[in-house]
Amino acid sequence: MRDLHPTVEQAVETLPLNALTRRRLLRGTGLFSSALAASALLAGCSDDPAVAEGAPGNFPRTPSWKFVFVCHVTTNPFFTPTQYGAEDACKLLGVQFQWTGSVNSVVAEMVDATNTAISAKADGLALAVVDKAAFRGPVDQALDAGIPVVSFNADGARDDPGTNRLAYIGQGLYESGYELGRRALTVLDSGEVAGFIATPGQLNIQPRIDGAQQAFKDSGKPVTFTPIATNADVTQGLSIIDAYVQGHPNLAGLLAVDAGSTQSVGQTVAKYKLRDRGLKVAGGFDLVPETLASVKNGDLDYTIDQQPYLQGFLPVLALYLYKLTGGLLFPTQTNTGLLFVTKDNVDPYQSTKTRYEGSDTAVKLVERSGPIAHG
């Protein structure tokens, strides 16, 4: 018998032929050769619409579904990797997405964008639910129209998601704030701690500062935690933090729950050499370059990575699978994680440019080597 690829042999065995014909086919006798056998097998498979139309992987051919993301700050660089994640998932699955919402976190604009998507018969919606009342009606309207809805990045209040969305995909916001405070308590026994928040009440960050405050309360330590409003504009926020620090010379800790405030905390610690003045801890959220530099320099002890790429990739996957299975694969609550970036592990974030962190546009494999850190 001629040497055949095992896959061809296995495939021939599945054909509805008697044993003699099958043997002749494999030996290349009679009317067939092994090459013709392989061609015949491929030709037979071409009747499958998924193969014929180039459907992805092992999935069937589907319409080019369109999923709409409604974001509260559409141009914020934090969401650059989120958009890459959605784009990559769409490319993988043969679907498409639209990125819309508000530039400046105007809830009315987000609601308008949501209603427009519903009217246009979007195939699925992913909403950043930054208000626990405004999106309830639109989400119900979408679900009544058969449009699946998930939330991403923000999910209403801790005790009220604010909508009947099918699932939330994003960081556990209250929990991450709690861990922000709990980590600070590993080096703090007493003193004053300021917690900075750009937009109090906005539900993508308010739960974080609530969590941090609760961590200090639960510790029982004589620590005074004071939430301070900064500003969504980073320049204005920096001036507020600067002024607060000058007016409170004995601070033991500086924490922040948004990217802009975290960046400003690091800059302020460096400007006034607060480590020399008794500051014990400084930390916050997200991976803007200035924040990573502050971690590397020791002006920030840590920042928290919430993996924004996954907050774009996973909603597309969830909505696709829901549509693919007629609703049988129901979207699941997905926490995109909490990773502390410290001086010990910050180097790869600074040295590696990748679309997965939003620092590059190129589609590429990021190689790594060496042991994987573990507890």
Side-chain angles (χ1 to χ4, degrees), residues 180-216:
L180 177 80
R182 203 162 75 96
R183 189 172 182 105
L185 285 161
T186 62
V187 296
L188 278 178
D189 291 317
S190 62
E192 296 179 46
V193 176
F196 297 105
I197 177 171
T199 48
Q202 188 164 294
L203 296 179
N204 63 317
I205 51 178
Q206 182 64 44
R208 289 177 179 166
I209 205 156
D210 293 342
Q213 189 159 27
Q214 189 63 45
F216 286 106

Short mmCIF file of all heavy atoms in Angstrom, two decimals, residues 180-216:
data_model
loop_
_atom_site.label_atom_id
_atom_site.label_comp_id
_atom_site.label_asym_id
_atom_site.label_seq_id
_atom_site.Cartn_x
_atom_site.Cartn_y
_atom_site.Cartn_z
N LEU A 180 -7.42 47.49 46.24
CA LEU A 180 -6.56 48.67 46.22
C LEU A 180 -6.26 49.12 47.65
O LEU A 180 -5.11 49.38 48.02
CB LEU A 180 -7.24 49.80 45.45
CG LEU A 180 -6.49 51.13 45.39
CD1 LEU A 180 -5.39 51.08 44.34
CD2 LEU A 180 -7.46 52.28 45.09
N GLY A 181 -7.32 49.21 48.45
CA GLY A 181 -7.15 49.61 49.84
C GLY A 181 -6.46 48.54 50.68
O GLY A 181 -5.61 48.85 51.51
N ARG A 182 -6.82 47.30 50.45
CA ARG A 182 -6.25 46.21 51.25
C ARG A 182 -4.74 46.11 51.06
O ARG A 182 -3.99 45.84 51.99
CB ARG A 182 -6.93 44.89 50.88
CG ARG A 182 -6.84 43.83 51.97
CD ARG A 182 -7.88 42.76 51.74
NE ARG A 182 -7.49 41.89 50.64
CZ ARG A 182 -6.88 40.72 50.79
NH1 ARG A 182 -6.57 40.29 52.00
NH2 ARG A 182 -6.57 39.99 49.76
N ARG A 183 -4.29 46.34 49.81
CA ARG A 183 -2.85 46.29 49.57
C ARG A 183 -2.15 47.44 50.27
O ARG A 183 -1.04 47.27 50.81
CB ARG A 183 -2.55 46.33 48.07
CG ARG A 183 -1.08 46.05 47.77
CD ARG A 183 -0.83 45.90 46.29
NE ARG A 183 0.57 45.57 46.01
CZ ARG A 183 1.02 44.39 45.65
NH1 ARG A 183 0.18 43.38 45.52
NH2 ARG A 183 2.31 44.19 45.41
N ALA A 184 -2.77 48.62 50.29
CA ALA A 184 -2.19 49.76 51.00
C ALA A 184 -2.03 49.45 52.49
O ALA A 184 -1.05 49.86 53.13
CB ALA A 184 -3.05 51.00 50.80
N LEU A 185 -2.97 48.70 53.03
CA LEU A 185 -2.95 48.39 54.46
C LEU A 185 -1.82 47.44 54.85
O LEU A 185 -1.52 47.30 56.03
CB LEU A 185 -4.29 47.79 54.87
CG LEU A 185 -5.43 48.82 54.98
CD1 LEU A 185 -6.79 48.14 54.92
CD2 LEU A 185 -5.29 49.63 56.27
N THR A 186 -1.18 46.82 53.86
CA THR A 186 -0.04 45.96 54.21
C THR A 186 1.15 46.78 54.68
O THR A 186 2.07 46.23 55.31
CB THR A 186 0.38 45.09 53.00
OG1 THR A 186 0.81 45.93 51.93
CG2 THR A 186 -0.77 44.21 52.54
N VAL A 187 1.17 48.08 54.38
CA VAL A 187 2.28 48.93 54.83
C VAL A 187 1.80 50.09 55.69
O VAL A 187 2.61 50.90 56.14
CB VAL A 187 3.09 49.48 53.62
CG1 VAL A 187 3.76 48.35 52.88
CG2 VAL A 187 2.20 50.29 52.68
N LEU A 188 0.51 50.18 55.92
CA LEU A 188 -0.06 51.27 56.71
C LEU A 188 -0.66 50.76 58.01
O LEU A 188 -1.43 49.80 57.99
CB LEU A 188 -1.18 51.98 55.94
CG LEU A 188 -0.81 53.03 54.90
CD1 LEU A 188 -2.09 53.54 54.24
CD2 LEU A 188 -0.05 54.18 55.52
N ASP A 189 -0.33 51.40 59.10
CA ASP A 189 -0.97 51.08 60.38
C ASP A 189 -1.82 52.23 60.88
O ASP A 189 -2.72 52.04 61.71
CB ASP A 189 0.10 50.75 61.43
CG ASP A 189 0.79 49.43 61.14
OD1 ASP A 189 0.08 48.46 60.79
OD2 ASP A 189 2.03 49.37 61.24
N SER A 190 -1.55 53.43 60.40
CA SER A 190 -2.31 54.60 60.85
C SER A 190 -2.03 55.75 59.89
O SER A 190 -1.19 55.64 58.98
CB SER A 190 -1.89 55.00 62.27
OG SER A 190 -0.51 55.37 62.29
N GLY A 191 -2.75 56.85 60.10
CA GLY A 191 -2.48 58.05 59.33
C GLY A 191 -3.60 58.45 58.38
O GLY A 191 -4.68 57.84 58.35
N GLU A 192 -3.34 59.49 57.61
CA GLU A 192 -4.31 60.04 56.67
C GLU A 192 -4.04 59.50 55.26
O GLU A 192 -2.90 59.51 54.80
CB GLU A 192 -4.21 61.57 56.62
CG GLU A 192 -4.56 62.27 57.92
CD GLU A 192 -4.41 63.78 57.77
OE1 GLU A 192 -4.90 64.34 56.76
OE2 GLU A 192 -3.78 64.39 58.64
N VAL A 193 -5.12 59.07 54.61
CA VAL A 193 -5.03 58.60 53.23
C VAL A 193 -6.06 59.35 52.40
O VAL A 193 -7.22 59.45 52.78
CB VAL A 193 -5.29 57.08 53.12
CG1 VAL A 193 -5.27 56.64 51.66
CG2 VAL A 193 -4.26 56.31 53.93
N ALA A 194 -5.63 59.88 51.26
CA ALA A 194 -6.54 60.53 50.33
C ALA A 194 -6.83 59.59 49.18
O ALA A 194 -5.93 58.93 48.65
CB ALA A 194 -5.94 61.83 49.80
N GLY A 195 -8.11 59.52 48.80
CA GLY A 195 -8.51 58.70 47.66
C GLY A 195 -9.11 59.60 46.58
O GLY A 195 -10.16 60.21 46.79
N PHE A 196 -8.46 59.68 45.44
CA PHE A 196 -8.88 60.63 44.40
C PHE A 196 -9.75 59.94 43.34
O PHE A 196 -9.45 58.84 42.89
CB PHE A 196 -7.64 61.25 43.73
CG PHE A 196 -6.81 62.06 44.69
CD1 PHE A 196 -5.60 61.55 45.18
CD2 PHE A 196 -7.24 63.29 45.15
CE1 PHE A 196 -4.83 62.28 46.06
CE2 PHE A 196 -6.47 64.03 46.04
CZ PHE A 196 -5.27 63.53 46.51
N ILE A 197 -10.82 60.63 42.94
CA ILE A 197 -11.77 60.11 41.96
C ILE A 197 -12.16 61.23 41.01
O ILE A 197 -12.56 62.31 41.43
CB ILE A 197 -13.02 59.51 42.65
CG1 ILE A 197 -14.04 59.04 41.60
CG2 ILE A 197 -13.62 60.45 43.67
CD1 ILE A 197 -15.20 58.24 42.20
N ALA A 198 -12.04 60.98 39.71
CA ALA A 198 -12.27 62.03 38.72
C ALA A 198 -13.73 62.46 38.66
O ALA A 198 -14.04 63.65 38.60
CB ALA A 198 -11.80 61.56 37.35
N THR A 199 -14.64 61.49 38.67
CA THR A 199 -16.06 61.81 38.51
C THR A 199 -16.88 61.04 39.55
O THR A 199 -17.36 59.94 39.28
CB THR A 199 -16.55 61.44 37.09
OG1 THR A 199 -16.10 60.10 36.78
CG2 THR A 199 -15.99 62.40 36.06
N PRO A 200 -17.03 61.61 40.75
CA PRO A 200 -17.81 60.93 41.79
C PRO A 200 -19.22 60.60 41.30
O PRO A 200 -19.85 61.39 40.60
CB PRO A 200 -17.85 61.96 42.92
CG PRO A 200 -16.64 62.82 42.70
CD PRO A 200 -16.49 62.90 41.20
N GLY A 201 -19.67 59.41 41.65
CA GLY A 201 -21.01 58.99 41.26
C GLY A 201 -21.05 58.22 39.96
O GLY A 201 -22.00 57.48 39.71
N GLN A 202 -20.03 58.38 39.11
CA GLN A 202 -20.03 57.64 37.85
C GLN A 202 -19.70 56.19 38.13
O GLN A 202 -18.70 55.88 38.78
CB GLN A 202 -19.02 58.25 36.88
CG GLN A 202 -19.12 57.65 35.49
CD GLN A 202 -18.41 58.48 34.45
OE1 GLN A 202 -18.80 59.61 34.15
NE2 GLN A 202 -17.34 57.93 33.89
N LEU A 203 -20.52 55.31 37.59
CA LEU A 203 -20.51 53.94 38.09
C LEU A 203 -19.45 53.03 37.50
O LEU A 203 -19.44 51.83 37.79
CB LEU A 203 -21.91 53.33 37.90
CG LEU A 203 -22.98 54.04 38.73
CD1 LEU A 203 -24.34 53.43 38.48
CD2 LEU A 203 -22.63 54.01 40.21
N ASN A 204 -18.51 53.58 36.72
CA ASN A 204 -17.35 52.78 36.36
C ASN A 204 -16.22 52.98 37.36
O ASN A 204 -15.26 52.21 37.37
CB ASN A 204 -16.87 53.11 34.95
CG ASN A 204 -16.39 54.55 34.83
OD1 ASN A 204 -17.04 55.47 35.33
ND2 ASN A 204 -15.28 54.76 34.14
N ILE A 205 -16.32 54.01 38.23
CA ILE A 205 -15.25 54.24 39.22
C ILE A 205 -15.77 54.45 40.65
O ILE A 205 -15.03 54.17 41.60
CB ILE A 205 -14.33 55.42 38.83
CG1 ILE A 205 -15.15 56.68 38.50
CG2 ILE A 205 -13.46 55.03 37.66
CD1 ILE A 205 -14.28 57.89 38.14
N GLN A 206 -17.00 54.88 40.82
CA GLN A 206 -17.52 55.07 42.18
C GLN A 206 -17.46 53.79 43.02
O GLN A 206 -17.08 53.81 44.19
CB GLN A 206 -18.94 55.63 42.14
CG GLN A 206 -19.54 55.90 43.53
CD GLN A 206 -18.80 57.00 44.28
OE1 GLN A 206 -18.46 58.02 43.72
NE2 GLN A 206 -18.54 56.78 45.57
N PRO A 207 -17.82 52.62 42.43
CA PRO A 207 -17.72 51.40 43.23
C PRO A 207 -16.29 51.13 43.72
O PRO A 207 -16.10 50.53 44.78
CB PRO A 207 -18.19 50.30 42.27
CG PRO A 207 -19.08 51.02 41.31
CD PRO A 207 -18.45 52.36 41.12
N ARG A 208 -15.29 51.57 42.96
CA ARG A 208 -13.91 51.35 43.40
C ARG A 208 -13.60 52.13 44.67
O ARG A 208 -12.99 51.59 45.60
CB ARG A 208 -12.94 51.78 42.28
CG ARG A 208 -12.92 50.88 41.07
CD ARG A 208 -11.97 51.47 40.04
NE ARG A 208 -11.88 50.64 38.85
CZ ARG A 208 -11.34 51.05 37.72
NH1 ARG A 208 -10.85 52.29 37.62
NH2 ARG A 208 -11.27 50.25 36.68
N ILE A 209 -13.96 53.39 44.69
CA ILE A 209 -13.62 54.18 45.87
C ILE A 209 -14.45 53.73 47.06
O ILE A 209 -13.99 53.76 48.21
CB ILE A 209 -13.75 55.69 45.59
CG1 ILE A 209 -12.84 56.47 46.54
CG2 ILE A 209 -15.19 56.18 45.67
CD1 ILE A 209 -12.42 57.82 46.06
N ASP A 210 -15.67 53.24 46.80
CA ASP A 210 -16.48 52.66 47.88
C ASP A 210 -15.79 51.42 48.44
O ASP A 210 -15.76 51.22 49.67
CB ASP A 210 -17.86 52.28 47.36
CG ASP A 210 -18.70 53.50 46.97
OD1 ASP A 210 -18.38 54.62 47.41
OD2 ASP A 210 -19.68 53.30 46.21
N GLY A 211 -15.23 50.60 47.55
CA GLY A 211 -14.53 49.41 48.00
C GLY A 211 -13.29 49.73 48.80
O GLY A 211 -13.01 49.11 49.84
N ALA A 212 -12.51 50.72 48.34
CA ALA A 212 -11.31 51.12 49.07
C ALA A 212 -11.66 51.62 50.46
O ALA A 212 -11.02 51.27 51.46
CB ALA A 212 -10.56 52.20 48.29
N GLN A 213 -12.70 52.45 50.54
CA GLN A 213 -13.11 53.01 51.83
C GLN A 213 -13.53 51.89 52.79
O GLN A 213 -13.20 51.91 53.98
CB GLN A 213 -14.25 53.98 51.63
CG GLN A 213 -14.63 54.78 52.87
CD GLN A 213 -15.38 56.05 52.52
OE1 GLN A 213 -16.04 56.14 51.50
NE2 GLN A 213 -15.27 57.06 53.37
N GLN A 214 -14.23 50.88 52.25
CA GLN A 214 -14.67 49.78 53.09
C GLN A 214 -13.49 48.95 53.59
O GLN A 214 -13.50 48.45 54.73
CB GLN A 214 -15.64 48.89 52.32
CG GLN A 214 -16.33 47.84 53.18
CD GLN A 214 -17.21 48.46 54.26
OE1 GLN A 214 -17.96 49.39 54.01
NE2 GLN A 214 -17.11 47.93 55.48
N ALA A 215 -12.47 48.80 52.76
CA ALA A 215 -11.29 48.04 53.18
C ALA A 215 -10.63 48.69 54.39
O ALA A 215 -10.22 48.00 55.34
CB ALA A 215 -10.29 47.95 52.02
N PHE A 216 -10.52 50.01 54.38
CA PHE A 216 -9.93 50.70 55.54
C PHE A 216 -10.82 50.57 56.76
O PHE A 216 -10.34 50.37 57.88
CB PHE A 216 -9.68 52.17 55.19
CG PHE A 216 -8.52 52.38 54.27
CD1 PHE A 216 -8.71 52.70 52.94
CD2 PHE A 216 -7.22 52.21 54.72
CE1 PHE A 216 -7.64 52.88 52.08
CE2 PHE A 216 -6.13 52.38 53.88
CZ PHE A 216 -6.34 52.72 52.55
#
